[in-house]
Amino acid sequence: MKLEDFKNIYFVGIGGIGMSAIARYFHSIGKNVFGYDRTSTKLTGELIEEGINITFEDDLDTIPNEFLNKENTLVVFTPAIPKDHQQLSYFRLNSFTIMKRSQVLGLLSDDLNGIGIAGTHGKTTVSTITAHIFNKSKMGCNAFLGGISRNYQSNLLVSKDSPWVILEADEFDRSFLQLHPKIALITSMDADHLDIYGDKSELVKSFQEYAGQIKQDGILVYKKGLHLENVEVEKYTYSLNEVADYYAKNLTLVEGFYQFDLVHPQGVFEKLKFSYPGKINVENAIGACSVAILGGVKEDEIRSALSSFEGVRRRFDYQIRKDNLVFIDDYAHHPKELKESISSVRDIYPNKKITGVFQPHLYTRTRDFAEGFAKSLSLLDEVILLDIYPARELPIEGVNSRMIMKNITVPVRICTKEELIDLLKQKDLEVLLTLGAGDIDKLVEPIKNMLIEKQ
């Protein structure tokens, strides 16, 4: 049975950023879509407003009757769902057709020219910039994104006429091995998800295997310095300012944004203006531009798209931007991401005090990278640490935020989420960053409202 043969699509974990994009797609083509998620969030609220029904109870009685017909119901789940989940266990015991999110994504993209953006960090921003460039060109595109584009207020773009589909290729649980892209871009292969891979060498092998799955006449683009030279396919490198096939020169900061010349194999695009702040995002834009050029997008289309890109929710996401107060929210949850985010803020605001609130994500990641987190956070002027967000994990004895705190070299304190607003209210803030991939995003709006009232 093919995907189009299913009338009903049930999502277990529908509130996940990747799951919600697929749910939106099936809803857009007229399928009956229903889903479960553990908690109500801004994203689940948006899905409900769009007409997708969601239950927040892991109870068999909440599954609508029509979704109990296994002949015309497809069940899609995310690996983050625990093994003892009642609804998923029921579907398994009763022989429903069940697929991981990544399997469905692979099937949806197989008949199109897939552009798979992978990497331990940066992939969401690169894929969203790439989607915006293609969408603003004559090419158009479909896109399943790992973040909410501020240009479109969605993580899904649909075009019936475009042969292109932009995909965020997720390395967690080796999900990206379900994809066979026409063009693959790899941003980074830093040690991460060691609970899955064991060590960095295994993670690198998985990325190499992903690169080996590019279609026969396809192309690999990767950040210069990554060990992918042995992949037997047409290859190109990109970099921020190191000489590569695609790189920037004459990088200039103008009123908080960057202007640069893009050097590429056919020549130079001069004085491109990128409307999204942060030096790391210029590198992300170079990666996106390289893919766009290889896909046939024209210079004027790239130029226009870069100047109109509005960013990604929770990626260097300005909440307040005034002369006397700046508040930025960022998803950074790996030591290298933190370093790049904080360094970008420092470049823009070199003479201001920068206060960061960081919520560590996962016990295993905290255990594996505590020293790296401390080193990156020490680039701030002041640090506030929240407790670890466990996500799918159970606590690990002795692993907590104090593992990070003890190696931070600037003023630091730990507080609870409940204490944070009052603590920030007492401070004379100049630049505030909220950082992390857990539920710290639920504090962003309350913090913003408090700061506006305090002004």
Side-chain angles (χ1 to χ4, degrees):
M1 186 175 269
K2 298 180 180 179
L3 290 179
E4 54 264 33
D5 295 330
F6 290 101
K7 179 181 178 182
N8 307 309
I9 319 291
Y10 195 98
F11 288 84
V12 185
I14 196 169
I17 192 68
M19 291 279 279
S20 60
I22 300 174
R24 280 173 157 151
Y25 170 76
F26 281 121
H27 181 66
S28 74
I29 63 172
K31 299 292 185 182
N32 294 329
V33 176
F34 195 95
Y36 158 87
D37 210 87
R38 185 176 60 177
T39 55
S40 174
T41 63
K42 182 175 183 178
L43 182 51
T44 58
E46 290 170 350
L47 295 178
I48 291 168
E49 286 179 9
E50 292 166 21
I52 297 173
N53 292 315
I54 299 174
T55 179
F56 299 100
E57 296 179 47
D58 180 17
D59 188 331
L60 299 183
D61 291 338
T62 63
I63 303 173
N65 286 334
E66 61 265 37
F67 289 84
L68 297 175
N69 183 345
K70 66 182 179 184
E71 301 304 321
N72 59 17
T73 297
L74 170 66
V75 178
V76 185
F77 76 102
T78 169
I81 295 295
K83 293 180 180 178
D84 60 352
H85 191 273
Q86 290 186 55
Q87 292 184 355
L88 188 56
S89 297
Y90 170 83
F91 291 129
R92 282 175 170 148
L93 287 170
N94 288 277
S95 302
F96 278 71
T97 301
I98 301 173
M99 292 184 182
K100 288 184 178 181
R101 174 187 62 86
S102 55
Q103 292 174 291
V104 176
L105 203 56
L107 291 172
L108 288 174
S109 62
D110 270 351
D111 294 333
L112 296 170
N113 292 331
I115 297 175
I117 312 292
T120 45
H121 50 85
K123 57 184 174 288
T124 296
T125 303
V126 175
S127 60
T128 308
I129 299 170
T130 304
H132 182 60
I133 294 172
F134 271 81
N135 193 59
K136 288 298 182 182
S137 76
K138 291 179 182 178
M139 297 278 189
C141 73
N142 302 275
F144 295 86
L145 304 173
I148 303 298
S149 163
R150 289 211 171 274
N151 287 89
Y152 310 104
Q153 296 302 316
S154 182
N155 52 355
L156 173 73
L157 296 179
V158 178
S159 169
K160 294 179 181 178
D161 302 319
S162 177
W164 293 100
V165 56
I166 287 94
L167 308 162
E168 183 162 328
D170 189 2
E171 76 280 2
F172 173 72
D173 199 37
R174 297 178 172 84
S175 293
F176 58 1
L177 298 183
Q178 301 289 337
L179 305 177
H180 297 85
K182 172 85 170 179
I183 301 175
L185 182 144
I186 298 177
T187 66
S188 50
M189 300 189 303
D190 295 304
D192 199 4
H193 302 301
L194 299 186
D195 54 323
I196 301 293
Y197 290 100
D199 58 40
K200 183 179 177 179
S201 65
E202 287 301 312
L203 179 139
V204 171
K205 284 180 186 177
S206 194
F207 273 97
Q208 291 170 336
E209 187 176 347
Y210 167 67
Q213 294 188 171
I214 296 170
K215 290 180 178 177
Q216 191 170 5
D217 58 346
I219 299 170
L220 171 64
V221 181
Y222 61 96
K223 183 177 175 181
K224 187 173 183 179
L226 299 182
H227 297 299
L228 292 161
E229 300 87 354
N230 295 329
V231 179
E232 295 183 1
V233 68
E234 185 178 349
K235 296 185 290 290
Y236 297 89
T237 59
Y238 76 96
S239 177
L240 176 61
N241 46 26
E242 187 180 350
V243 175
D245 295 311
Y246 298 84
Y247 69 98
K249 67 177 184 179
N250 299 324
L251 185 66
T252 308
L253 189 61
V254 180
E255 296 180 352
F257 299 101
Y258 283 98
Q259 177 179 288
F260 62 97
D261 298 341
L262 176 63
V263 181
H264 59 91
Q266 288 77 45
V268 182
F269 296 163
E270 295 183 346
K271 294 184 178 180
L272 295 177
K273 296 178 181 178
F274 190 41
S275 60
Y276 196 39
K279 192 176 287 186
I280 182 57
N281 289 318
V282 176
E283 183 173 86
N284 290 332
I286 292 166
C289 288
S290 66
V291 169
I293 292 169
L294 291 165
V297 180
K298 305 300 182 185
E299 176 183 350
D300 61 333
E301 295 171 330
I302 291 173
R303 187 177 296 277
S304 175
L306 289 183
S307 67
S308 63
F309 182 69
E310 296 177 10
V312 189
R313 192 184 294 171
R314 297 225 63 226
R315 268 70 174 184
F316 213 96
D317 196 356
Y318 275 99
Q319 302 296 314
I320 298 173
R321 194 176 188 182
K322 297 182 178 180
D323 290 341
N324 66 336
L325 179 64
V326 173
F327 174 25
I328 299 170
D329 179 43
D330 196 278
Y331 190 74
H333 58 284
H334 183 279
K336 189 165 184 180
E337 290 175 329
L338 288 172
K339 179 182 177 181
E340 290 170 343
S341 180
I342 295 165
S343 297
S344 292
V345 174
R346 184 70 70 189
D347 285 343
I348 300 170
Y349 304 104
N351 301 314
K352 290 186 178 287
K353 179 183 178 182
I354 304 174
T355 302
V357 181
F358 177 56
Q359 181 189 48
H361 184 258
L362 298 178
Y363 292 102
T364 51
R365 187 179 281 128
T366 303
R367 177 198 64 199
D368 294 335
F369 303 116
E371 290 187 12
F373 281 129
K375 186 175 181 180
S376 296
L377 291 169
S378 294
L379 297 172
L380 295 161
D381 295 304
E382 178 183 34
V383 180
I384 299 170
L385 284 175
L386 301 180
D387 292 330
I388 296 170
Y389 181 77
R392 58 188 178 271
E393 293 184 337
L394 294 173
I396 299 174
E397 187 175 352
V399 177
N400 53 50
S401 294
R402 293 190 179 278
M403 291 183 69
I404 300 171
M405 181 181 180
K406 67 182 182 181
N407 290 311
I408 292 176
T409 58
V410 298
V412 56
R413 66 167 291 173
I414 292 177
C415 81
T416 66
K417 289 182 290 185
E418 293 74 20
E419 297 169 334
L420 180 61
I421 302 289
D422 286 338
L423 177 61
L424 292 175
K425 193 181 294 185
Q426 298 165 20
K427 292 185 174 294
D428 186 17
L429 298 168
E430 295 181 11
V431 178
L432 174 66
L433 306 182
T434 46
L435 303 156
D439 62 356
I440 191 172
D441 62 315
K442 293 182 179 179
L443 296 171
V444 172
E445 198 69 24
I447 292 171
K448 179 180 178 179
N449 292 337
M450 179 275 291
L451 294 174
I452 290 172
E453 287 179 13
K454 187 181 173 185
Q455 286 278 290

